[in-house]
Amino acid sequence: MVFISDIIERLDPYTGIIVLAFAALITIFAGFSKNNGIKIFIILVSALSYAAAFYLIIYSFIEYGPRDGFLTSISLPELILSCIILFIGLNVLFFISVSRFREDSFIRIVILLTFSLIPVLSLIMADNMIFIFTAFALTILSIFTLISSLDREIAGSGEAIGKFGIRTILPITLIFLGFSVLIGAGGAKNLSGYGGIESAADPLLLVSVVVFACAFYFYFFLYPFQGPYLKIVRRISGGAISVLWFLYMPAGIILLIKFNRFFDSFIEKNNIYAFTIITVFAFINLFGAAVGAIRAISLKRILSMFLLFEIGTMVLARSAGSLGMTSCRFASYYDLTVLIIILIVFLPLQLLIMLLEKNTGKDIIAGTRGLAYKNIYIGICVIIIFLWWIAANIYVFPFEEFISGSGPMSHGPGGLILFIGYIIVLLLMAVNIFRMILVFFKKLPETGGPKNYAVPRIFYAYISVFVLLALSISILIIIGKMDIGQDHLRIWSSSFDIFSSGN
């Protein structure tokens, strides 16, 4: 045991990455076997490696605590993000196993999935700017390769994937340009070395902020640049969409969290201009996503709009920060909370869409008609998840800043604009959810309607876990608010309440 602890200490903080690399090496030796027994073995090896990496990352943090190095910086937020990514890896592995197990390329896809997790974990711990850029570029490359491998034999997907790949080059280029400006300015080589009002006075740093902001806007395909994102969602399979939603998008959120301290200094320094620009782009995306979801008939397109909406709320949170409504640390808390909301809501819904599309042969909202009658339990779970999504978005946004003190005008006209605008777009999203619920309760026609809503038994357990998780979080919030048993319930440290924005 002492020997193992000594090895972990020497390899820390790269123990989790090394475990994944070793698992990928083992799966490579399996070749591209078509034997089902070999495929099951590969699934077990990959799942166990993710679990082992999960354990080792937590063990290392408990044993050695937060630590900073020349290339890396490890603290509790990094620990949580690493665990989230490994949890995502397990779920994506499950999705791929459900949809692609019988294909000849299954083992190759699992190998690529494991390799894709390695640069994402590296990105989480990276602090040196060169290391951050390298990890980010490798993350995009590995995710693009994984998506291409999943759908290389599907007709019509090649062009959309190609345009997606070309588009992802732009944020990588902009990140490289921004880091080049920072390094050329002669400042710190680590991103954590920036932050504070004094940094905002440097015009070169201001240029880099603009470049980085453009990189993130293009990365997330926010309105009005959503075209390649919506095209690829419409044309790729459910397994590839899982990679896009649960690896590509979280990787961007992770990078954004790393830049929050850097951005906050400029938002505080230039709050009037920052508020105007950020608010305009935030509401363009929020209204675009809300209206697009209402107009869409494809289930994958609707959920894509919901995801763009969540990213838009992250942009809007920066507007609240520019008005002084929230602290600098609120943005990081909010981004992590949004990531958790995305996982709780979209993981079970994505699997349900995959199964419904497989059973009915349709990716349209009409394909869920009669779901509440044909599969009552699944219908109830989906409704609970949707209602929880609305409640979570209401709860995490800093509404108390509007209704406490001197009211909505306490932060001037800007605060009133945020308050009214966010209420309107949230109501539009609620209308879309209500539309889908109505479809669930529509009776099937006597002939010609989709009637096959059979899902594997394991999905009942899968969706039940997420429903119980959502309900448990709600109960914990209520307990914390009522001061039953304890004053506050924390998510990662004494300064961050679970799903609390200071309410």
Side-chain angles (χ1 to χ4, degrees), residues 317 319-321 323-327 330 394-412 414-416 418-419 500-503:
S319 298
L323 289 179
M325 294 169 52
T326 58
S327 64
F330 174 80
I394 293 175
Y395 188 79
V396 299
F397 201 76
F399 278 111
E400 186 170 325
E401 294 292 334
F402 299 108
I403 61 178
S404 63
S406 54
M409 291 301 295
S410 59
H411 295 281
L416 190 61
L418 289 183
F419 180 75
S500 173
S501 54
N503 295 352

Side-chain angles (χ1 to χ4, degrees), residues 9 20 35 37 163 218 337 345 354 407 415 430 465 473:
E9 182 178 5
L20 293 183
N35 184 275
K163 290 182 178 179
F218 286 118
T337 307
V345 173
M354 289 173 57
V465 169
I473 291 174

Side-chain angles (χ1 to χ4, degrees), residues 237-498:
S237 64
I241 289 179
S242 302
V243 176
L244 178 64
W245 285 352
F246 306 124
L247 277 180
Y248 178 83
M249 290 298 184
I253 295 175
I254 289 168
L255 189 63
L256 182 59
I257 291 174
K258 302 186 79 66
F259 274 86
N260 275 333
R261 184 180 177 186
F262 182 72
F263 284 141
D264 285 339
S265 62
F266 293 90
I267 291 176
E268 293 176 359
K269 178 73 174 180
N270 309 285
N271 54 356
I272 297 177
Y273 304 104
F275 170 78
T276 303
I277 295 172
I278 296 173
T279 302
V280 169
F281 280 106
F283 279 124
I284 287 175
N285 186 76
L286 289 172
F287 277 101
V291 175
I294 292 175
R295 294 178 58 188
I297 60 173
S298 166
L299 291 172
K300 292 188 290 188
R301 191 181 181 93
I302 291 172
L303 286 192
S304 298
M305 295 298 181
F306 273 76
L307 196 58
L308 286 180
F309 181 88
E310 288 291 5
I311 304 299
T313 63
M314 293 165 54
V315 179
L316 193 63
R318 271 73 183 174
S319 298
S322 66
L323 289 179
M325 294 169 52
T326 58
S327 64
C328 294
R329 302 182 71 183
F330 174 80
S332 296
Y333 139 78
Y334 192 86
D335 295 344
L336 180 56
T337 307
V338 167
L339 179 56
I340 294 173
I341 292 173
I342 289 173
L343 297 181
I344 293 176
V345 173
F346 292 98
L347 279 172
L349 292 181
Q350 164 58 10
L351 183 58
L352 177 62
I353 288 177
M354 289 173 57
L355 296 174
L356 288 178
E357 186 177 6
K358 181 179 178 180
N359 291 339
T360 64
K362 298 180 179 179
D363 173 36
I364 56 176
I365 190 172
T368 62
R369 186 174 181 178
L371 178 63
Y373 301 108
K374 291 293 182 179
N375 202 317
I376 298 176
Y377 181 76
I378 297 297
I380 292 175
C381 288
V382 172
I383 292 173
I384 291 174
I385 289 174
F386 273 130
L387 295 179
W388 185 86
W389 179 85
I390 296 176
N393 277 276
I394 293 175
Y395 188 79
V396 299
F397 201 76
F399 278 111
E400 186 170 325
E401 294 292 334
F402 299 108
I403 61 178
S404 63
S406 54
M409 291 301 295
S410 59
H411 295 281
L416 190 61
I417 291 173
L418 289 183
F419 180 75
I420 296 176
Y422 187 69
I423 289 295
I424 292 174
V425 294
L426 202 58
L427 286 175
L428 289 175
M429 297 304 289
V431 168
N432 191 71
I433 290 176
F434 183 69
R435 176 181 68 132
M436 288 189 286
I437 292 176
L438 286 180
V439 175
F440 294 166
F441 283 94
K442 279 188 176 181
K443 290 186 178 181
L444 289 169
E446 295 296 330
T447 59
K451 298 183 178 182
N452 189 1
Y453 293 111
V455 295
R457 291 184 178 181
I458 191 172
F459 179 70
Y460 287 90
Y462 186 83
I463 195 171
S464 297
V465 169
F466 287 93
V467 170
L468 290 175
L469 180 59
L471 295 177
S472 299
I473 291 174
S474 302
I475 293 172
L476 290 175
I477 291 172
I478 295 173
I479 293 175
K481 284 296 180 181
M482 297 177 62
D483 293 333
I484 300 176
Q486 52 186 310
D487 293 331
H488 298 285
L489 298 168
R490 308 298 184 180
I491 189 170
W492 70 57
S493 70
S494 60
S495 59
F496 288 144
D497 294 343
I498 287 183

